[in-house]
Amino acid sequence: MSCGDASDQSRRFCVLSWDQVQRLDSILGEAVPIHGRGNFPTLSMRPRQIVQVVRARLEERGVCVKDVRLNGSAASHVLHQDTGLGYKDLDLIFGVSLKDDQAFRLVKDVVLDCLLDFLPAGVSKERITALTLKEAYVQKLVKVCNDTDRWSLISLSNNTGKNVELKFVDSLRRQFEFSVDSFQICLDSLLLFDRCSETPMSESFHPTVIGESVYGDFKEAMAHLCQRTIATRSPEEIRGGGLLKYCHLLVRGFRPFSEADMKQMQRYMCSRFFIDFSDIGEQQRKLEAYLQNHFAGMEHKRYECLMTLHQVVNESTVCLMGHERRQTLSLISMLALRVLAEQNAIPTVTNVTCYYQPAPYVQDINFSNYYIAHVQPPQVSPCSNSYQTWLPCS
């Protein structure tokens, strides 16, 4: 490694301050409910507990865990409390080797087996199988295995959207969408301190905790977070193009680092989004799921997010045929009107874009003074309640 390479690598890392370590310790010690379906009881677990139990059980089964990291919005919250984003999911990354299908199955079996440890006292565990636990407590299972990416995700259910997400990563080419969500915090030193030290942490006596920005420059990414700046690179590499997260950031008061560059990137975002979600039914399911997962407790922001998305898609979509573009815009408009209806906000005329059924003569090909926006919902087959053991991420 050259000196330049070493310098570039060192810019990725930073030692957390005492205040940041305290916030991290608080998040790891906060009890998170995992809600069971049907008659299954709610599990109460602290992130540090599930990490320690899963790690110990994996190592018992011969799986070496290189490190464990806190990722995403929770890591951003630790580094800068006043981000304007807060955090919902607790994303925990376990660095492991996933060389074959057997390794993927082993990881899944270990996590499900660990859930038994968190069942309330008095619950009979003899007849509870791994399949039963999956159906009761797992929101989604994802497995990705290709030339560049080998990882799996197990998301544990929480009715308020604060899911505990355990990600097991062998390799992952793209680990961030925007610089403000590129932070990862290594938990190993803090967890080791928990096990080995009988003296409580203090400002003069606490473990050294390292943070990393996978964006590439920790100081730059931190400045973006503090100044609420939107910056990324190569959005065409992101699943979905980062389009929905981009609109989310705009609604939350973040602004592009460069308006000109971001206008260009919006085209790449839209193109990648429509490559990954080409069918109108897939688009509807993706939008509904995103609104549900990222605006819990902030339902009043859903309409603004959809209108921002409508504007970006209208301005920057170059990869769709005219009728496909209009169909997507109509879908977004229909969802926005539904959001207003759910909030009983439709009577507020200033907040509503009205669509009128045109007179018959408007359909004449020579009459081009009107843009006709049909807002009837597209035909989407109802979703089944059953789901696969692994959901493909492609």
Side-chain angles (χ1 to χ4, degrees):
M1 181 184 292
S2 68
C3 292
D5 292 338
S7 176
D8 289 344
Q9 280 295 105
S10 66
R11 297 210 319 261
R12 298 168 63 96
F13 300 96
C14 185
V15 176
L16 270 61
S17 68
W18 166 235
D19 286 342
Q20 292 168 336
V21 172
Q22 284 182 298
R23 281 198 293 273
L24 175 62
D25 185 62
S26 176
I27 286 176
L28 295 180
E30 180 184 1
V32 180
I34 305 300
H35 298 109
R37 297 184 180 90
N39 295 324
F40 279 84
T42 297
L43 310 182
S44 179
M45 61 175 65
R46 292 174 171 80
R48 60 175 13 108
Q49 289 177 308
I50 189 67
V51 167
Q52 290 166 342
V53 171
V54 169
R55 183 174 200 160
R57 205 69 56 86
L58 284 172
E59 291 176 348
E60 286 175 7
R61 302 287 293 272
V63 178
C64 177
V65 179
K66 303 167 193 171
D67 57 19
V68 183
R69 298 179 173 219
L70 181 68
N71 183 53
S73 59
S76 299
H77 177 79
V78 167
L79 296 171
H80 183 60
Q81 192 170 13
D82 187 24
T83 62
L85 291 173
Y87 70 95
K88 286 293 183 183
D89 294 341
L90 282 167
D91 301 326
L92 298 163
I93 298 178
F94 294 75
V96 296
S97 173
L98 298 170
K99 57 186 178 180
D100 52 31
D101 284 342
Q102 183 178 354
F104 280 97
R105 285 194 300 271
L106 176 60
V107 163
K108 182 185 70 171
D109 292 343
V110 163
V111 172
L112 294 176
D113 184 57
C114 288
L115 294 181
L116 288 173
D117 295 356
F118 294 93
L119 286 170
V123 175
S124 177
K125 304 177 183 180
E126 285 75 14
R127 297 185 180 181
I128 300 179
T129 65
L131 178 61
T132 302
L133 289 169
K134 178 179 75 70
E135 295 290 341
Y137 294 109
V138 175
Q139 184 184 36
K140 64 181 174 181
L141 288 166
V142 178
K143 172 185 175 183
V144 176
C145 183
N146 55 43
D147 293 339
T148 58
D149 298 333
R150 299 181 69 85
W151 57 270
S152 68
L153 171 72
I154 302 176
S155 179
L156 304 179
S157 299
N158 179 282
N159 294 342
T160 64
K162 197 171 185 177
N163 301 323
V164 176
E165 301 204 331
L166 309 177
K167 182 180 280 187
F168 300 87
V169 177
D170 184 315
S171 59
L172 184 57
R173 181 180 60 176
R174 178 75 182 219
Q175 300 187 59
F176 71 98
E177 290 183 281
F178 296 89
S179 61
V180 294
D181 61 23
S182 68
F183 299 104
Q184 296 182 0
I185 299 173
C186 186
L187 304 180
D188 295 351
S189 61
L190 187 58
L191 296 176
L192 181 62
F193 187 92
D194 285 346
R195 293 199 305 270
C196 300
S197 176
E198 297 179 358
T199 305
M201 284 198 306
S202 66
E203 186 170 2
S204 59
F205 184 69
H206 64 269
T208 299
V209 180
I210 302 296
E212 178 183 2
S213 169
V214 292
Y215 176 73
D217 188 317
F218 191 97
K219 285 186 177 180
E220 182 181 352
M222 192 68 185
H224 293 165
L225 183 64
C226 295
Q227 298 164 12
R228 300 193 180 189
T229 299
I230 303 174
T232 189
R233 61 172 67 96
S234 305
E236 66 276 8
E237 295 178 355
I238 308 169
R239 176 165 170 81
L243 177 61
L244 301 185
K245 181 63 176 283
Y246 173 64
C247 295
H248 186 183
L249 290 173
L250 288 173
V251 167
R252 302 296 284 271
F254 286 68
R255 290 296 173 258
F257 179 76
S258 167
E259 291 283 354
D261 290 347
M262 198 54 69
K263 288 293 183 183
Q264 179 68 24
M265 286 190 181
Q266 283 180 189
R267 294 189 173 191
Y268 291 109
M269 292 179 195
C270 290
S271 295
R272 178 60 196 262
F273 181 84
F274 291 115
I275 288 171
D276 292 333
F277 305 101
S278 56
D279 177 74
I280 192 69
E282 292 178 335
Q283 293 168 22
Q284 179 169 352
R285 286 188 290 273
K286 179 63 177 177
L287 290 176
E288 289 175 337
Y290 191 89
L291 293 173
Q292 180 66 33
N293 294 334
H294 293 84
F295 289 91
M298 292 187 57
E299 287 76 8
H300 62 287
K301 289 286 187 181
R302 291 179 180 177
Y303 176 79
E304 189 179 348
C305 184
L306 287 167
M307 288 296 93
T308 302
L309 176 63
H310 190 284
Q311 180 181 348
V312 172
V313 170
N314 190 38
E315 292 177 352
S316 303
T317 299
V318 294
C319 61
L320 297 182
M321 297 178 67
H323 73 279
E324 294 174 322
R325 180 171 164 276
R326 288 190 295 272
Q327 188 179 39
T328 297
L329 291 172
S330 293
L331 167 64
I332 298 170
S333 298
M334 180 269 292
L335 292 175
L337 289 172
R338 180 194 295 173
V339 165
L340 286 181
E342 290 171 352
Q343 298 171 9
N344 295 320
I346 283 185
T348 308
V349 178
T350 56
N351 291 334
V352 181
T353 302
C354 294
Y355 296 84
Y356 299 95
Q357 180 65 38
Y361 58 82
V362 178
Q363 301 290 347
D364 188 281
I365 59 174
N366 296 317
F367 194 96
S368 58
N369 291 335
Y370 290 87
Y371 168 66
I372 307 169
H374 302 288
V375 284
Q376 64 267 26
Q379 296 299 315
V380 181
S381 58
C383 297
S384 169
N385 290 328
S386 61
Y387 51 92
Q388 306 172 38
T389 299
W390 294 107
L391 297 178
C393 193
S394 61

